[in-house]
Amino acid sequence: MSVETDPAKIMKQQVGVAAAARVQSGSIVGLGTGSTTAYAIQALGDRLKSGDLKDIKGVPTSFQAIVLARRYGIPLVTLDEIDHIDVAIDGADEVDPHKNLIKGGGAAHTQEKIVDSLANQFIVVVDSGKLVEHLGSTFLLPVEVIPMAVTPVMRAIVKLGGKPELRMGIKKAGPVVTDQGNLVIDVKFDRIDNPADLEKTLNNIPGVLENGLFVGVTDLVLVGEIKDGQPSIREF
């Protein structure tokens, strides 16, 4: 694994490595999306190469995860080929005290939710800056929408008290397009008091495919922190 010198990156790397260390030989592993999870995928590849880990299969949650898994030599399978997932490793944009999440900063939350929800154990890897008292306090809630429904969905979200905005691309003209060919609306809610209800309500709006609220899915959170200039990891 490449040597990092930036403390924040060292911390992300160590959290990713700690999650990968929990994977056992013969496992089917959900491979999440994002910068911290990328280190976990790399660490799984390193363990396979060294012979420390054998016979694992990965279930990717995005094009990013597919590319990384191929780069690091992790064999991939689809959900059609398997009947269970042993463990999934994924990041989050916010984690509340009940281990509920907001995900979707990378616009991959639909596939992530499918894979992470199927896993017998779902491990979330984050830095301490992602921990919040209430979901929605630092991060907008991503909602994946079929393109033709963007305007009516935004109107429905306004009625729910949200402030919706179509996510625009960076280094791309026009909006962000997901791996499913849909668009993403980022919604500001002043605070999300009942994530379970809001998750259902949003998903019931016609044209919404999925939203970034992950409620009651997480088993373990590995949190990377920097204390006295040194990276450390704690569980909750």
Side-chain angles (χ1 to χ4, degrees):
M1 188 173 277
S2 59
V3 178
E4 291 290 355
T5 51
D6 170 19
K9 285 189 173 161
I10 292 170
M11 178 179 70
K12 283 186 170 190
Q13 190 176 62
Q14 289 192 355
V15 174
V17 169
R22 290 171 172 270
V23 174
Q24 297 175 345
S25 292
S27 297
I28 298 170
V29 187
L31 304 174
T33 306
S35 56
T36 309
T37 316
Y39 286 121
I41 294 173
Q42 187 178 353
L44 286 170
D46 290 347
R47 288 187 65 198
L48 278 173
K49 210 184 307 177
S50 73
D52 176 43
L53 192 62
K54 291 181 176 67
D55 184 36
I56 68 162
K57 294 185 175 75
V59 183
T61 57
S62 62
F63 287 139
Q64 184 211 27
I66 291 170
V67 168
L68 288 171
R70 285 180 180 151
R71 182 187 301 167
Y72 297 118
I74 300 169
L76 294 176
V77 289
T78 67
L79 294 176
D80 295 329
E81 300 167 73
I82 55 172
D83 62 1
H84 72 286
I85 296 171
D86 295 294
V87 58
I89 300 169
D90 212 343
D93 300 299
E94 284 189 343
V95 183
D96 78 5
H98 306 289
K99 296 189 291 203
N100 296 321
L101 318 175
I102 284 184
K103 290 176 51 54
H109 52 283
T110 298
Q111 289 188 49
E112 289 170 342
K113 196 179 279 192
I114 293 165
V115 171
D116 297 344
S117 300
L118 287 169
N120 295 335
Q121 187 189 31
F122 173 34
I123 301 174
V124 173
V125 288
V126 289
D127 59 79
S128 56
K130 305 288 171 64
L131 304 180
V132 296
E133 280 304 310
H134 293 280
L135 293 183
S137 48
T138 61
F139 205 83
L140 303 177
L141 175 61
V143 180
E144 182 166 350
V145 183
I146 291 165
M148 70 170 280
V150 164
T151 303
V153 167
M154 285 172 100
R155 282 194 200 114
I157 286 171
V158 169
K159 283 184 184 154
L160 293 174
K163 298 185 187 73
E165 216 172 85
L166 185 61
R167 186 182 301 182
M168 302 309 281
I170 295 168
K171 296 187 180 178
K172 171 196 179 295
V176 166
V177 180
T178 70
D179 289 358
Q180 288 76 241
N182 297 314
L183 304 179
V184 176
I185 295 169
D186 288 311
V187 187
K188 173 67 183 157
F189 286 100
D190 288 332
R191 57 185 271 171
I192 298 170
D193 286 317
N194 194 325
D197 281 358
L198 185 60
E199 181 183 21
K200 292 190 187 85
T201 302
L202 287 169
N203 281 358
N204 271 332
I205 299 171
V208 170
L209 181 60
E210 190 52 86
N211 70 79
L213 286 166
F214 283 50
V215 179
V217 185
T218 308
D219 296 300
L220 174 68
V221 184
L222 296 178
V223 183
E225 299 175 300
I226 296 177
K227 285 181 178 163
D228 308 321
Q230 293 301 311
S232 68
I233 297 163
R234 67 182 169 94
E235 298 177 17
F236 102 79

